[in-house]
Amino acid sequence: MKTRILALAALVALGSTQVWAQTNNISSVGITTGVVTVTARIGPNSQPAGPPNNSSLLVGNNLAGLAYAAGNIPGAADTSISFFTLTGATLPGGAGNPLDAFMSYGTLIGPPAATLNYPDVAPLLTADSYLGLTFAATDLYPGGPAPLTANGFYMIHRNLTNGTDYLAGIVPATGGGSAVLNIKPMAWTGGVAATGASVVAGTNHYFALAFAVPTPAGPYFANNFYYLRTDASNHTQFGYVIPALTSGFLDTLDLNTATGGFGATGYTTLAFSATAIGGYAVNQFYYLRLDAATGYTVLGRLDTNPANRTLSDIANLGGVYSGLTFAAEATGTGAGWGTNQLYATGTRALTAQSVSFAAIADRTFVGDVPFVVTPSASSGLDLVVTVVSGPATVVTTGPALARVHTVTTTGPGVVKLRATQSGPGFDTNYLEQSFNVLGLPAMTSATTASATAGTPFTFSLTATGNPILSFAATGLPANGLTINTTTGVISGTPLAAGTINVTGITATNATGTSTPGTALTITVAAAVPAPVVNSTLTASGTVGVAFSYSITGTNTPTGYAATGLPAGLAVNTTTGAITGTP
């Protein structure tokens, strides 16, 4: 965890000209359709000032996780709705550096309450790293050990001695009754935790953890933990961990190559919402990632439904934020902060505001079909929209503060747009959105191929305009060759020599079907008779004297073989020469 914090600071210094004191407000992140509003709620920079007792816990601490709990925690002192965190300020522990602290930010309904600490938790944490704090009110493993029972906090424990990441839990309780324990390694191979089953090598570096009660879309399950980790190729992997002690982990999505990701990196944390917010569907994951170009944190959405666009940045938050959680209940003093809010820990830069840019659906290219994009900035300033790359143009019309940004695609490809705050000092804060422009397919495969009668043959049709939904071809011989319309592979065994003219070759995608391309001409040569050995079938040699013999055959042999050779002799399978010293 310590190295992650240092890397974060370095990126901020290099990627932005903004300089500000790093504090950790708890800020609400409200999402309405296409607009994100960040409001500091608790901490030294809260607007308006939050409970003053929280400030000392926030200033200067890099928080290692943020978790939200609705309702009372049995055996604990807090009541109603609270936020909890790991400070991550002293990693690893040691002389003069107390271990990670675990604390509550206090009840946020009704009058501000004193911050609640669980002093017996810190001595239970080893001098390692703890991150990715989350909360589960569900009984995950009936009859299993605490904290797999209901109302437990969970986190990633990185053992700095053996380099292993563990799923760990905290059960906070008053009167010195808290418990902290490792449940099992994150990279788990099966078996029972008590027997110390092995860890999959090279699969650690987990850094974000979220708990989902309902089932996310796709090959997933309810009441599971979902994670982010960095793999050996420095790609960010999304996957899940089943709480049962005999179940392993599974990577399911590479965020660097997922649709909408376009190689984005810098992910820092993960949260789950079972509620539809800001026009997005239910059961969505939300992420934070540090954008190296601007030095600010970007909020985005991860949709696990394979039929949808997987990743989508939603807003550049104009600051650096490290923790993220979701609260469906009405939160804040007098429930004044509203319902269905994301909450983040961090601080906005002094001159930057959040820039929101709703995801742009992939489009099909049929002529020029203009459409309007409507990014926004919390500052209320004008936004400049430009094309970073790809086949499109942008025309901005209308008066200040009422601009209309019209995008016209000019061909198929991947388009990247950038929305930037206008005005002095604001041009370092922007957000980019990418989308695919899908055009009619065009065949790109070769128009000639060679085959031999009686010999298996394979040829692959290819086309632009991915994803291709189907291929078609006519003129294939009734016996011998067929086409797989899904993959475009023509295969089989031609039966006779001659010429096969394959016509009607097309590919179809979501836009439509390509114009039939040039015919594929397959020239089928006659089958070549099997070779017959015509070299002499006897030869003489002398023990201890070098020997040489050549196998020859009719019909141009392409390889040779021999068995039963005595010790000292060997056959060259390419030339047919038998040599050596018997």
Side-chain angles (χ1 to χ4, degrees):
M1 179 61 196
K2 189 172 186 178
T3 56
R4 291 187 61 81
I5 293 171
L6 292 176
L8 183 74
L11 280 171
V12 173
L14 292 173
S16 173
T17 58
Q18 310 293 340
V19 178
W20 71 97
Q22 174 65 36
T23 60
N24 286 287
N25 294 286
I26 292 184
S27 298
S28 61
V29 184
I31 305 177
T32 57
T33 304
V35 179
V36 172
T37 303
V38 181
T39 305
R41 298 296 189 181
I42 299 179
N45 298 106
S46 58
Q47 303 163 352
N53 53 284
N54 291 300
S55 299
S56 63
L57 300 175
L58 295 168
V59 177
N61 288 340
N62 287 287
L63 300 184
L66 177 68
Y68 166 80
N72 298 343
I73 298 175
D78 54 0
T79 59
S80 192
I81 297 173
S82 296
F83 291 93
F84 296 80
T85 187
L86 290 168
T87 65
T90 56
L91 297 172
N97 292 318
L99 300 177
D100 290 353
F102 179 73
M103 64 196 70
S104 164
Y105 280 125
T107 301
L108 298 177
I109 288 192
T115 299
L116 301 172
N117 295 292
Y118 296 92
D120 61 324
V121 171
L124 301 175
L125 300 172
T126 60
D128 293 324
S129 292
Y130 297 88
L131 59 165
L133 188 69
T134 191
F135 178 76
T138 305
D139 192 349
L140 304 180
Y141 195 57
L148 288 175
T149 51
N151 299 306
F153 291 88
Y154 297 85
M155 59 190 174
I156 300 164
H157 168 208
R158 178 163 301 160
N159 187 308
L160 299 181
T161 300
N162 62 21
T164 297
D165 293 343
Y166 294 88
L167 176 65
I170 299 174
V171 177
T174 55
S178 299
V180 176
L181 75 159
N182 285 338
I183 299 169
K184 64 179 180 182
M186 291 291 289
W188 186 247
T189 60
V192 179
T195 65
S198 62
V199 177
V200 179
T203 54
N204 285 329
H205 308 293
Y206 295 79
F207 60 88
L209 193 67
F211 180 74
V213 175
T215 303
Y220 301 109
F221 306 94
N223 298 320
N224 275 354
F225 294 101
Y226 294 84
Y227 61 76
L228 296 179
R229 74 176 186 89
T230 305
D231 67 12
S233 301
N234 204 34
H235 282 205
T236 300
Q237 297 287 342
F238 170 82
Y240 65 91
V241 175
I242 300 175
L245 299 183
T246 57
S247 299
F249 75 107
L250 183 65
D251 292 343
T252 58
L253 184 65
D254 186 331
L255 299 194
N256 290 62
T257 58
T259 302
F262 299 102
T265 56
Y267 299 93
T268 58
T269 192
L270 189 68
F272 178 78
S273 168
T275 304
I277 55 175
Y280 296 107
V282 299
N283 302 334
Q284 302 284 295
F285 290 92
Y286 294 85
Y287 59 80
L288 295 181
R289 67 174 184 85
L290 186 65
D291 182 69
T294 64
Y296 298 142
T297 296
V298 170
L299 169 71
R301 178 191 57 87
L302 192 161
D303 188 339
T304 57
N305 186 341
N308 296 338
R309 187 175 183 82
T310 305
L311 294 174
S312 174
D313 288 347
I314 297 173
N316 187 319
L317 302 183
V320 176
Y321 296 83
S322 59
L324 187 69
T325 192
F326 176 76
E329 291 76 16
T331 311
T333 303
W337 298 352
T339 60
N340 297 326
Q341 301 271 341
L342 289 165
Y343 290 86
T345 54
T347 308
R348 193 165 57 207
L350 295 179
T351 58
Q353 306 293 323
S354 60
V355 175
S356 307
F357 202 157
I360 304 170
D362 291 344
R363 306 180 66 82
T364 57
F365 180 73
V366 183
D368 291 354
V369 181
F371 63 98
V372 173
V373 295
T374 55
S376 64
S378 61
S379 62
L381 295 174
D382 276 339
L383 285 173
V384 177
V385 177
T386 56
V387 177
V388 177
S389 59
T393 60
V394 176
V395 176
T396 299
T397 57
L401 305 181
R403 306 295 190 191
V404 176
H405 308 286
T406 302
V407 180
T408 302
T409 59
T410 58
V414 177
V415 175
K416 180 182 289 186
L417 303 179
R418 176 182 296 176
T420 307
Q421 288 189 108
S422 61
F426 291 101
D427 56 356
T428 59
N429 193 25
Y430 58 79
L431 185 66
E432 295 176 342
Q433 282 291 8
S434 299
F435 63 97
N436 294 328
V437 182
L438 193 62
L440 285 174
M443 301 306 303
T444 57
S445 45
T447 57
T448 60
S450 299
T452 301
T455 301
F457 168 81
T458 298
F459 180 87
S460 293
L461 297 176
T462 58
T464 62
N466 286 326
I468 299 298
L469 302 178
S470 64
F471 291 89
T474 57
L476 292 171
N479 296 316
L481 298 181
T482 59
I483 180 173
N484 183 317
T485 57
T486 301
T487 65
V489 173
I490 296 173
S491 61
T493 302
L495 302 180
T499 300
I500 300 173
N501 291 312
V502 185
T503 59
I505 297 174
T506 60
T508 300
N509 64 12
T511 304
T513 301
S514 64
T515 301
T518 304
L520 167 64
T521 301
I522 304 174
T523 302
V524 183
V528 179
V532 176
V533 174
N534 58 11
S535 52
T536 179
L537 299 181
T538 61
S540 299
T542 302
V543 173
V545 178
F547 172 83
S548 178
Y549 170 85
S550 293
I551 305 172
T552 60
T554 62
N555 300 319
T556 315
T558 58
Y560 301 85
T563 57
L565 292 172
L569 297 184
V571 61
N572 185 315
T573 58
T574 301
T575 65
I578 297 175
T579 57
T581 302

